[in-house]
mmCIF file of all heavy atoms in Angstrom:
data_model
loop_
_atom_site.group_PDB
_atom_site.id
_atom_site.type_symbol
_atom_site.label_atom_id
_atom_site.label_comp_id
_atom_site.label_asym_id
_atom_site.label_seq_id
_atom_site.Cartn_x
_atom_site.Cartn_y
_atom_site.Cartn_z
ATOM 1 N N ARG A 1 0.832 -1.209 0.000
ATOM 2 C CA ARG A 1 0.000 0.000 0.000
ATOM 3 C C ARG A 1 0.864 1.256 0.000
ATOM 4 O O ARG A 1 0.516 2.261 -0.612
ATOM 5 C CB ARG A 1 -0.918 -0.013 1.224
ATOM 6 C CG ARG A 1 -1.903 1.143 1.257
ATOM 7 C CD ARG A 1 -2.774 1.087 2.503
ATOM 8 N NE ARG A 1 -3.644 2.230 2.594
ATOM 9 C CZ ARG A 1 -4.407 2.517 3.647
ATOM 10 N NH1 ARG A 1 -4.407 1.714 4.705
ATOM 11 N NH2 ARG A 1 -5.170 3.589 3.654
ATOM 12 N N TRP A 2 1.994 1.194 0.732
ATOM 13 C CA TRP A 2 2.896 2.343 0.818
ATOM 14 C C TRP A 2 4.305 1.908 0.453
ATOM 15 O O TRP A 2 4.701 0.773 0.707
ATOM 16 C CB TRP A 2 2.929 2.924 2.252
ATOM 17 C CG TRP A 2 1.597 3.213 2.856
ATOM 18 C CD1 TRP A 2 0.943 2.481 3.794
ATOM 19 C CD2 TRP A 2 0.739 4.324 2.557
ATOM 20 N NE1 TRP A 2 -0.253 3.045 4.112
ATOM 21 C CE2 TRP A 2 -0.420 4.196 3.361
ATOM 22 C CE3 TRP A 2 0.838 5.427 1.693
ATOM 23 C CZ2 TRP A 2 -1.457 5.105 3.330
ATOM 24 C CZ3 TRP A 2 -0.204 6.331 1.661
ATOM 25 C CH2 TRP A 2 -1.331 6.172 2.470
ATOM 26 N N THR A 3 5.070 2.832 -0.119
ATOM 27 C CA THR A 3 6.487 2.562 -0.352
ATOM 28 C C THR A 3 7.254 2.836 0.946
ATOM 29 O O THR A 3 6.742 3.518 1.856
ATOM 30 C CB THR A 3 7.053 3.449 -1.467
ATOM 31 O OG1 THR A 3 7.000 4.823 -1.049
ATOM 32 C CG2 THR A 3 6.255 3.265 -2.756
ATOM 33 N N LYS A 4 8.468 2.334 1.023
ATOM 34 C CA LYS A 4 9.284 2.570 2.224
ATOM 35 C C LYS A 4 9.573 4.058 2.396
ATOM 36 O O LYS A 4 9.628 4.560 3.522
ATOM 37 C CB LYS A 4 10.585 1.780 2.127
ATOM 38 C CG LYS A 4 10.389 0.274 2.234
ATOM 39 C CD LYS A 4 11.707 -0.466 2.168
ATOM 40 C CE LYS A 4 11.477 -1.968 2.296
ATOM 41 N NZ LYS A 4 12.746 -2.728 2.214
ATOM 42 N N LYS A 5 9.747 4.767 1.297
ATOM 43 C CA LYS A 5 10.022 6.201 1.357
ATOM 44 C C LYS A 5 8.823 6.957 1.920
ATOM 45 O O LYS A 5 8.975 7.861 2.754
ATOM 46 C CB LYS A 5 10.367 6.721 -0.038
ATOM 47 C CG LYS A 5 10.772 8.197 -0.061
ATOM 48 C CD LYS A 5 11.104 8.653 -1.461
ATOM 49 C CE LYS A 5 11.559 10.111 -1.478
ATOM 50 N NZ LYS A 5 10.626 11.047 -0.841
ATOM 51 N N GLN A 6 7.619 6.579 1.479
ATOM 52 C CA GLN A 6 6.403 7.232 1.982
ATOM 53 C C GLN A 6 6.243 7.013 3.484
ATOM 54 O O GLN A 6 5.890 7.941 4.223
ATOM 55 C CB GLN A 6 5.181 6.695 1.240
ATOM 56 C CG GLN A 6 5.054 7.180 -0.199
ATOM 57 C CD GLN A 6 3.909 6.523 -0.936
ATOM 58 O OE1 GLN A 6 3.651 5.323 -0.772
ATOM 59 N NE2 GLN A 6 3.211 7.283 -1.771
ATOM 60 N N ALA A 7 6.495 5.784 3.927
ATOM 61 C CA ALA A 7 6.376 5.473 5.355
ATOM 62 C C ALA A 7 7.413 6.244 6.160
ATOM 63 O O ALA A 7 7.113 6.820 7.230
ATOM 64 C CB ALA A 7 6.534 3.969 5.578
ATOM 65 N N LEU A 8 8.646 6.306 5.653
ATOM 66 C CA LEU A 8 9.716 7.012 6.354
ATOM 67 C C LEU A 8 9.418 8.509 6.423
ATOM 68 O O LEU A 8 9.621 9.148 7.471
ATOM 69 C CB LEU A 8 11.041 6.769 5.631
ATOM 70 C CG LEU A 8 12.299 7.358 6.295
ATOM 71 C CD1 LEU A 8 12.479 6.780 7.698
ATOM 72 C CD2 LEU A 8 13.531 7.067 5.439
ATOM 73 N N ASP A 9 8.911 9.067 5.344
ATOM 74 C CA ASP A 9 8.559 10.491 5.334
ATOM 75 C C ASP A 9 7.457 10.795 6.353
ATOM 76 O O ASP A 9 7.496 11.832 7.029
ATOM 77 C CB ASP A 9 8.091 10.909 3.937
ATOM 78 C CG ASP A 9 9.241 10.967 2.934
ATOM 79 O OD1 ASP A 9 10.405 10.990 3.381
ATOM 80 O OD2 ASP A 9 8.963 10.960 1.715
ATOM 81 N N SER A 10 6.480 9.920 6.474
ATOM 82 C CA SER A 10 5.388 10.114 7.439
ATOM 83 C C SER A 10 5.901 10.061 8.866
ATOM 84 O O SER A 10 5.487 10.851 9.728
ATOM 85 C CB SER A 10 4.307 9.054 7.223
ATOM 86 O OG SER A 10 3.711 9.194 5.952
ATOM 87 N N VAL A 11 6.803 9.113 9.137
ATOM 88 C CA VAL A 11 7.378 8.997 10.491
ATOM 89 C C VAL A 11 8.159 10.267 10.835
ATOM 90 O O VAL A 11 8.017 10.826 11.933
ATOM 91 C CB VAL A 11 8.296 7.754 10.576
ATOM 92 C CG1 VAL A 11 9.070 7.750 11.891
ATOM 93 C CG2 VAL A 11 7.479 6.478 10.454
ATOM 94 N N ARG A 12 8.973 10.723 9.910
ATOM 95 C CA ARG A 12 9.750 11.948 10.142
ATOM 96 C C ARG A 12 8.849 13.150 10.358
ATOM 97 O O ARG A 12 9.098 14.001 11.230
ATOM 98 C CB ARG A 12 10.665 12.210 8.950
ATOM 99 C CG ARG A 12 11.880 11.273 8.884
ATOM 100 C CD ARG A 12 12.627 11.474 7.580
ATOM 101 N NE ARG A 12 13.825 10.652 7.532
ATOM 102 C CZ ARG A 12 14.540 10.438 6.423
ATOM 103 N NH1 ARG A 12 14.155 11.029 5.286
ATOM 104 N NH2 ARG A 12 15.605 9.689 6.466
ATOM 105 N N LYS A 13 7.782 13.224 9.576
ATOM 106 C CA LYS A 13 6.856 14.356 9.661
ATOM 107 C C LYS A 13 6.192 14.438 11.034
ATOM 108 O O LYS A 13 6.088 15.514 11.630
ATOM 109 C CB LYS A 13 5.800 14.213 8.574
ATOM 110 C CG LYS A 13 4.878 15.414 8.431
ATOM 111 C CD LYS A 13 3.934 15.216 7.252
ATOM 112 C CE LYS A 13 3.019 16.421 7.089
ATOM 113 N NZ LYS A 13 2.075 16.250 5.948
ATOM 114 N N VAL A 14 5.753 13.282 11.551
ATOM 115 C CA VAL A 14 5.065 13.240 12.842
ATOM 116 C C VAL A 14 6.014 13.600 13.972
ATOM 117 O O VAL A 14 5.709 14.423 14.851
ATOM 118 C CB VAL A 14 4.435 11.850 13.086
ATOM 119 C CG1 VAL A 14 3.965 11.721 14.536
ATOM 120 C CG2 VAL A 14 3.270 11.625 12.128
ATOM 121 N N PHE A 15 7.219 13.003 13.974
ATOM 122 C CA PHE A 15 8.145 13.220 15.091
ATOM 123 C C PHE A 15 8.859 14.570 15.015
ATOM 124 O O PHE A 15 9.385 15.038 16.011
ATOM 125 C CB PHE A 15 9.180 12.089 15.136
ATOM 126 C CG PHE A 15 8.630 10.807 15.712
ATOM 127 C CD1 PHE A 15 8.227 9.779 14.885
ATOM 128 C CD2 PHE A 15 8.494 10.651 17.075
ATOM 129 C CE1 PHE A 15 7.712 8.601 15.393
ATOM 130 C CE2 PHE A 15 7.978 9.483 17.614
ATOM 131 C CZ PHE A 15 7.578 8.455 16.773
ATOM 132 N N THR A 16 8.856 15.173 13.837
ATOM 133 C CA THR A 16 9.471 16.502 13.709
ATOM 134 C C THR A 16 8.536 17.585 14.233
ATOM 135 O O THR A 16 8.950 18.527 14.898
ATOM 136 C CB THR A 16 9.820 16.794 12.238
ATOM 137 O OG1 THR A 16 10.719 15.788 11.775
ATOM 138 C CG2 THR A 16 10.494 18.163 12.114
ATOM 139 N N LYS A 17 7.246 17.427 13.953
ATOM 140 C CA LYS A 17 6.260 18.440 14.322
ATOM 141 C C LYS A 17 5.874 18.399 15.790
ATOM 142 O O LYS A 17 5.529 19.410 16.378
ATOM 143 C CB LYS A 17 4.993 18.281 13.468
ATOM 144 C CG LYS A 17 5.150 18.795 12.046
ATOM 145 C CD LYS A 17 3.811 18.739 11.314
ATOM 146 C CE LYS A 17 3.914 19.380 9.934
ATOM 147 N NZ LYS A 17 2.601 19.366 9.232
ATOM 148 N N LYS A 18 5.890 17.190 16.392
ATOM 149 C CA LYS A 18 5.365 17.059 17.756
ATOM 150 C C LYS A 18 6.421 16.535 18.721
ATOM 151 O O LYS A 18 7.230 15.676 18.376
ATOM 152 C CB LYS A 18 4.173 16.089 17.758
ATOM 153 C CG LYS A 18 2.979 16.591 16.956
ATOM 154 C CD LYS A 18 1.834 15.601 17.074
ATOM 155 C CE LYS A 18 0.610 16.081 16.299
ATOM 156 N NZ LYS A 18 -0.529 15.142 16.453
ATOM 157 N N ALA A 19 6.386 17.066 19.913
ATOM 158 C CA ALA A 19 7.272 16.547 20.965
ATOM 159 C C ALA A 19 6.710 15.248 21.522
ATOM 160 O O ALA A 19 7.455 14.352 21.909
ATOM 161 C CB ALA A 19 7.419 17.585 22.078
ATOM 162 N N GLU A 20 5.384 15.182 21.575
ATOM 163 C CA GLU A 20 4.725 13.969 22.063
ATOM 164 C C GLU A 20 3.796 13.433 20.977
ATOM 165 O O GLU A 20 3.136 14.195 20.278
ATOM 166 C CB GLU A 20 3.923 14.266 23.336
ATOM 167 C CG GLU A 20 4.798 14.626 24.527
ATOM 168 C CD GLU A 20 3.981 14.799 25.799
ATOM 169 O OE1 GLU A 20 2.748 14.571 25.739
ATOM 170 O OE2 GLU A 20 4.558 15.159 26.828
ATOM 171 N N THR A 21 3.746 12.125 20.889
ATOM 172 C CA THR A 21 2.917 11.473 19.875
ATOM 173 C C THR A 21 1.894 10.588 20.559
ATOM 174 O O THR A 21 2.233 9.837 21.484
ATOM 175 C CB THR A 21 3.783 10.609 18.932
ATOM 176 O OG1 THR A 21 4.839 11.422 18.418
ATOM 177 C CG2 THR A 21 2.963 10.068 17.775
ATOM 178 N N SER A 22 0.643 10.694 20.143
ATOM 179 C CA SER A 22 -0.423 9.897 20.761
ATOM 180 C C SER A 22 -0.308 8.429 20.364
ATOM 181 O O SER A 22 0.340 8.071 19.371
ATOM 182 C CB SER A 22 -1.792 10.441 20.342
ATOM 183 O OG SER A 22 -1.992 10.238 18.952
ATOM 184 N N LEU A 23 -0.971 7.593 21.157
ATOM 185 C CA LEU A 23 -0.948 6.143 20.904
ATOM 186 C C LEU A 23 -1.595 5.810 19.564
ATOM 187 O O LEU A 23 -1.103 4.946 18.829
ATOM 188 C CB LEU A 23 -1.684 5.414 22.037
ATOM 189 C CG LEU A 23 -1.685 3.878 21.975
ATOM 190 C CD1 LEU A 23 -0.272 3.340 22.029
ATOM 191 C CD2 LEU A 23 -2.514 3.309 23.139
ATOM 192 N N SER A 24 -2.674 6.511 19.234
ATOM 193 C CA SER A 24 -3.365 6.255 17.966
ATOM 194 C C SER A 24 -2.469 6.585 16.767
ATOM 195 O O SER A 24 -2.471 5.885 15.755
ATOM 196 C CB SER A 24 -4.668 7.066 17.885
ATOM 197 O OG SER A 24 -4.388 8.452 17.934
ATOM 198 N N GLU A 25 -1.684 7.680 16.907
ATOM 199 C CA GLU A 25 -0.766 8.052 15.828
ATOM 200 C C GLU A 25 0.340 7.017 15.669
ATOM 201 O O GLU A 25 0.751 6.690 14.549
ATOM 202 C CB GLU A 25 -0.166 9.438 16.105
ATOM 203 C CG GLU A 25 -1.142 10.583 15.886
ATOM 204 C CD GLU A 25 -0.530 11.922 16.241
ATOM 205 O OE1 GLU A 25 0.112 12.015 17.310
ATOM 206 O OE2 GLU A 25 -0.686 12.875 15.454
ATOM 207 N N LEU A 26 0.833 6.509 16.805
ATOM 208 C CA LEU A 26 1.870 5.471 16.752
ATOM 209 C C LEU A 26 1.349 4.206 16.076
ATOM 210 O O LEU A 26 2.055 3.562 15.295
ATOM 211 C CB LEU A 26 2.368 5.153 18.165
ATOM 212 C CG LEU A 26 3.246 6.212 18.829
ATOM 213 C CD1 LEU A 26 3.553 5.820 20.270
ATOM 214 C CD2 LEU A 26 4.558 6.392 18.045
#
């Protein structure tokens, strides 16, 4: 469904913008 690059970009985007990440986002 997703490429490795897309998944990596999403992970970076979430952890760059927020200091804390919710369980649902994880």
Side-chain angles (χ1 to χ4, degrees):
R1 185 181 176 188
W2 309 104
T3 64
K4 291 181 179 179
K5 184 180 182 306
Q6 287 174 321
L8 184 60
D9 288 344
S10 296
V11 171
R12 286 172 177 167
K13 188 176 181 181
V14 169
F15 283 100
T16 301
K17 284 186 174 182
K18 296 183 179 182
E20 293 185 3
T21 307
S22 67
L23 183 61
S24 62
E25 286 177 315
L26 287 175

